């Protein structure tokens, strides 16, 4: 039950956005000042595919000493000069930096493989080239990247033992859990990627078919799509990555609408080597953006510190800091935790009592916002999507509220919904929203997540367990939390047949609730 016109509209938006972002990246070129000459080179990737790259070496490098090597694959749709400002800074501090345009984009050859085996093989070929053509030290190799480059870097570290340290910024660990979480297509995110690749690259027949099946909600191809995505997810190779022992730093934004934070946090817990996890306000790649222009940036500062310690052996203390670092969407300071499970150490349940029936196919006014725009507004102005909770039409939205809190509630981590739903049709989609509700009833979005089911028996209750997207948000004293559930959100493809209804209940032997993770006071 896809929505072709909606997909087409958002694809167009994605294409335009990609063009603007690429244009911004081009503006980086004049600001970079070479430590030594920037060389633009051609590198033969896997199968001889041409990869356009640039190399920056430390000033005065004359071949008499070896330097640590950093390889940076570009982001989805961005040109090879994307990292020029950061590459310059890293070269100034003693690294050989090779950045390259991934296959299928811009002037590099081949077709887009979406971090498939040819992409990781390309990264290894770039390492081979750097070792043969620069004074790079084969014992001190790191990889870093934003978004697409982040995913390729993690995957390469799992497959190439030479990679000793990784900084994965705004990337993914599980591709399917990113854009198909809750068995629901994240259509705006998918269309953004699709549109950007149409403008700046060359799609393979395989990826074109994947996108088409994604939009069309082709259930006969669902397992094929999942298998395709798992092959491109480092979560499938975590044992290899742990065995190789690379030091892994991961950073992401709370509001990332392309790669939501949950999948990063889940993956982080499975790593056994040196590791660090950072979350900040923002959307996809916005936390790193100022650093791409050479401006002061916490993400890139920590990235350099990470490589300095694990590739240069600098005793800068990053290995002694609490490895999980968070910045709340409500306050400006950082918080440190020993691990992810300590983030929401305390939990409070809001009971979802009674029986409530809602009709589907109509947007109630509770929404997750607009891809990029909403989370950027939250990052810059602390202005998340809002809804008037008392005015939400109860025909299309189920609403439950907590008591009024007498003290501030520091929500940290992953809220979890548990409920019983009785559908009138075999398929359906619901979207759960957690709101911070002020005295006048205006709700600010704290978190949300979609959930889709297929093949159910109409009239038969089903249990629903749904993790909302992880976040860090402070609810002021005097406010309430509200859980709202409706069935339509522009961010997602919905699967509600015309005229369907969903009934939410709370059986005495299996009560419904939303569990709120709170920072330990």
């Amino acid at each position: 039950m896809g929505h072709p016109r909606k997909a087409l509209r958002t694809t167009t938006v994605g294409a335009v956005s990609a063009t603007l972002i690429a244009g911004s990246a081009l503006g980086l070129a004049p600001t970079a000042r070479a430590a030594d000459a920037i060389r633009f080179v051609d590198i033969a990737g896997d199968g001889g595919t041409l990869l356009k790259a640039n190399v920056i070496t430390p000033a005065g490098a004359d071949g008499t000493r070896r330097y640590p090597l950093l390889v940076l694959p570009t982001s989805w749709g961005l040109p090879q000069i994307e990292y020029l400002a950061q590459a310059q800074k890293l070269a100034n501090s003693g690294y050989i930096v090779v950045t390259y345009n991934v296959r299928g984009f811009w002037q590099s050859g081949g077709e887009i493989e979406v971090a498939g085996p040819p992409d990781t093989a390309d990264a290894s070929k770039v390492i081979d080239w750097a070792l043969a053509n620069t004074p790079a030290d084969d014992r001190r190799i790191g990889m870093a990247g934003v978004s697409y480059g982040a995913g390729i870097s993690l995957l390469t570290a799992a497959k190439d033992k030479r990679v000793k340290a990784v900084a994965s910024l705004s990337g993914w660990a599980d591709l399917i859990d990113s854009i198909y979480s809750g068995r629901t297509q994240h259509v705006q995110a998918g269309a953004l990627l699709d549109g950007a690749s149409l403008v700046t690259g060359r799609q393979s027949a395989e990826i074109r078919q994947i996108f088409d099946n994604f939009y069309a909600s082709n259930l006969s191809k669902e397992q094929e799509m999942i298998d395709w995505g798992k092959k491109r997810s480092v979560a499938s190779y975590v044992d290899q990555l742990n065995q190789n022992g690379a030091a892994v730093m991961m950073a992401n934004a709370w509001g990332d609408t392309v790669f939501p934070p949950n999948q990063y946090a889940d993956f982080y817990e499975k790593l056994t080597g040196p590791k660090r996890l950072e979350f900040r306000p923002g959307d996809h790649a916005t936390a790193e953006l100022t650093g791409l222009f050479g401006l002061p940036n916490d993400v890139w500062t920590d990235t350099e510190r990470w490589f300095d310690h694990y590739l240069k052996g600098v005793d800068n203390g990053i290995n002694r800091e609490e490895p999980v670092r968070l910045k709340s969407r409500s306050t400006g300071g950082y918080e440190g935790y020993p691990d992810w499970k300590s983030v929401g150490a305390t939990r409070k349940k809001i009971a979802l009592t009674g029986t409530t029936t809602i009709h589907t196919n109509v947007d109630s006014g509770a929404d997750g916002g607009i891809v990029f725009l909403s989370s950027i507004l939250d990052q810059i102005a602390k202005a998340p999507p809002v809804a008037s909770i008392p005015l939400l039409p109860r025909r299309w939205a189920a609403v439950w509220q907590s008591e009024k809190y007498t003290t501030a509630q520091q929500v940290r981590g992953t809220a979890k919904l548990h409920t019983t739903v009785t559908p009138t049709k075999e398929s359906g989609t619901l979207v759960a929203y957690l709101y911070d509700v002020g005295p006048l009833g205006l709700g600010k979005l704290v978190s949300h997540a979609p959930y889709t089911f297929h093949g159910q028996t109409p009239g038969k209750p089903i249990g629903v367990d749904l993790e909302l997207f992880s976040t860090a948000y402070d609810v002021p004293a005097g406010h309430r939390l509200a859980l709202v559930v409706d069935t339509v959100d522009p961010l997602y493809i919905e699967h509600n047949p015309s005229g369907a209804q969903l009934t939410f209940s709370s059986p005495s032997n299996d009560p419904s609730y939303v569990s709120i993770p709170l920072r330990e006071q």
Side-chain angles (χ1 to χ4, degrees), residues 89-102:
K89 293 178 69 174
L90 290 164
N92 284 342
S93 63
Y95 292 93
I96 291 172
V97 186
V98 181
T99 77
Y100 71 96
N101 239 123
V102 293

Side-chain angles (χ1 to χ4, degrees), residues 374-389:
S374 297
S375 291
I376 291 174
L377 286 173
D378 186 38
Q379 176 184 2
I380 296 172
K382 293 183 172 57
V386 297
S388 176
I389 304 305

Side-chain angles (χ1 to χ4, degrees), residues 489-514:
D489 190 304
L491 287 171
Y492 310 108
I493 289 179
E494 50 97 359
H495 300 263
N496 297 297
S498 179
Q501 298 176 31
L502 300 178
T503 296
F504 298 89
S505 59
S506 183
S508 58
N509 63 340
D510 187 18
S512 295
Y513 61 85
V514 59

Side-chain angles (χ1 to χ4, degrees), residues 17 38 46 65 122 129 142 169 188 192 220 238 270 349 393 419 426 437 439 447-448 464 477 503 509:
S17 300
I38 300 171
D46 185 52
R65 56 171 291 195
D122 283 346
W129 182 93
L169 314 179
Q188 286 191 13
L192 181 70
S220 69
V238 64
K270 299 173 184 176
K349 289 183 178 180
T419 190
E426 67 172 15
V437 185
S447 184
H448 79 285
V464 171
T503 296
N509 63 340

Side-chain angles (χ1 to χ4, degrees), residues 59-107:
D62 57 7
T64 59
R65 56 171 291 195
R66 296 286 170 179
Y67 297 88
L69 168 67
L70 295 179
V71 173
L72 283 70
T74 52
S75 300
W76 185 272
L78 294 191
Q80 70 193 75
I81 60 170
E82 173 189 4
Y83 302 115
L84 207 53
Q86 283 301 321
Q88 176 65 49
K89 293 178 69 174
L90 290 164
N92 284 342
S93 63
Y95 292 93
I96 291 172
V97 186
V98 181
T99 77
Y100 71 96
N101 239 123
V102 293
R103 65 169 55 217
F105 285 102
W106 292 84
Q107 292 176 310

Side-chain angles (χ1 to χ4, degrees), residues 444-457:
K444 295 182 178 181
L445 188 65
V446 177
S447 184
H448 79 285
Y451 181 91
T452 293
F453 58 86
H454 296 288
Q456 298 299 319
T457 302

Side-chain angles (χ1 to χ4, degrees), residues 246-320:
V248 177
M249 170 183 156
M250 301 187 296
N252 204 352
W254 293 120
D256 195 320
T257 44
V258 180
F259 303 129
N262 300 47
Q263 45 92 33
Y264 246 18
D266 291 344
F267 179 71
Y268 172 84
E269 288 292 277
K270 299 173 184 176
L271 294 173
T272 58
K275 58 184 180 178
R276 184 179 179 91
L277 179 66
E278 301 183 352
F279 285 127
R280 297 173 175 85
D283 205 310
H284 185 62
T286 63
E288 300 89 0
L289 185 60
T290 57
L292 293 178
F293 289 88
L295 300 174
N297 181 278
D298 290 353
V299 185
W300 286 103
T301 296
D302 285 349
T303 294
E304 185 170 351
R305 292 176 64 223
W306 189 252
F307 287 134
D308 282 351
H309 180 75
Y310 287 102
L311 296 183
K312 288 183 177 180
V314 176
D315 186 13
N316 55 19
I318 197 168
N319 60 314
R320 294 188 294 275

Side-chain angles (χ1 to χ4, degrees), residues 191-216:
L192 181 70
L193 298 173
D194 187 6
S197 63
L198 288 171
V199 171
T200 63
R202 297 168 299 282
Q203 293 184 353
S204 65
E206 181 184 40
I207 182 58
R208 183 66 262 157
Q209 191 61 58
I210 289 290
F211 274 124
D212 290 344
N213 291 338
F214 179 82
Y215 295 136

